[in-house]
Amino acid sequence: MAEEQNAQAAQGAEQAQDQLQFALQRIYVKDVSFEAPNSPAVFSQPFQPKVSLELDTEHQQVGEELFEVSIKVTAQVSNGEDQTTAFLAEVEQAGLFRIAGLSAEQLDHTLGAFCPNVLFPYAREAVDNLVNRGSFPPLMLAPVNFEAMYAQRKQREAQQAGEATAH
């Protein structure tokens, strides 16, 4: 009897796994911009960079079980004591993911943390490529912990929901 229950449980688990789908369909650059507003003067000064980095993620459903996830990276580098802008590089890296068989909570986590982790190396390479083409020293972005960013966002949302119900 116990063997039959174990076999049924194993069969149910296999069916659940068969329904779970995750597939990267396409990776693409959605938007890209590079500005060096103070060139060529910036090249005649000693390069003492100060980097300002902004990072944002978004996702949207674009079809049945098809989701677009994007990472927007904005790097502004200032130079010298007067902090004139050396360059501004913006990249929006996106991907299409086919995802099925997840609960709403699992799907939200996958779109908010896992998919950005897949896309970030591509965004990082695109930013570095833009900076190199602008004739500036390489700008290798440090790895990003999207799990922590997701947890912080969820915590903020919970606090805001708590504040809204308190009023």
Side-chain angles (χ1 to χ4, degrees):
M1 179 90 164
E3 289 178 8
E4 287 179 29
Q5 289 176 341
N6 288 343
Q8 289 174 348
Q11 185 179 11
E14 287 177 15
Q15 288 175 348
Q17 282 186 335
D18 289 342
Q19 295 172 355
L20 176 64
Q21 292 181 11
F22 180 88
L24 177 59
Q25 302 291 305
R26 186 172 302 258
I27 294 177
Y28 52 97
V29 173
K30 191 167 183 171
D31 191 19
V32 66
S33 173
F34 182 83
E35 299 172 30
N38 295 305
S39 58
V42 71
F43 298 123
S44 63
Q45 303 167 358
F47 197 56
Q48 301 168 346
K50 180 182 175 197
V51 180
S52 169
L53 187 66
E54 291 181 29
L55 186 66
D56 192 24
T57 63
E58 293 181 349
H59 61 271
Q60 65 178 343
Q61 188 165 0
V62 294
E64 187 176 333
E65 300 175 349
L66 191 62
F67 299 86
E68 179 188 57
V69 178
S70 65
I71 300 175
K72 186 172 184 180
V73 179
T74 304
Q76 182 170 356
V77 176
S78 302
N79 186 39
E81 292 177 16
D82 61 354
Q83 295 298 308
T84 58
T85 299
F87 65 84
L88 176 69
E90 294 179 310
V91 171
E92 186 173 1
Q93 186 73 49
L96 286 177
F97 296 86
R98 184 162 304 280
I99 305 171
L102 296 177
S103 68
E105 186 177 311
Q106 291 171 322
L107 179 62
D108 188 56
H109 181 262
T110 299
L111 294 171
F114 184 76
C115 293
N117 273 322
V118 171
L119 296 173
F120 186 71
Y122 297 94
R124 181 180 175 188
E125 179 186 21
V127 168
D128 187 52
N129 189 10
L130 280 173
V131 171
N132 285 334
R133 287 176 180 244
S135 190
F136 290 95
L139 179 65
M140 291 302 296
L141 303 177
V144 174
N145 186 342
F146 287 100
E147 291 288 336
M149 287 178 62
Y150 176 79
Q152 288 171 351
R153 186 172 67 239
K154 284 299 184 187
Q155 187 177 19
R156 275 194 313 269
E157 288 173 0
Q159 286 174 346
Q160 289 172 352
E163 289 173 4
T165 57
H167 294 290

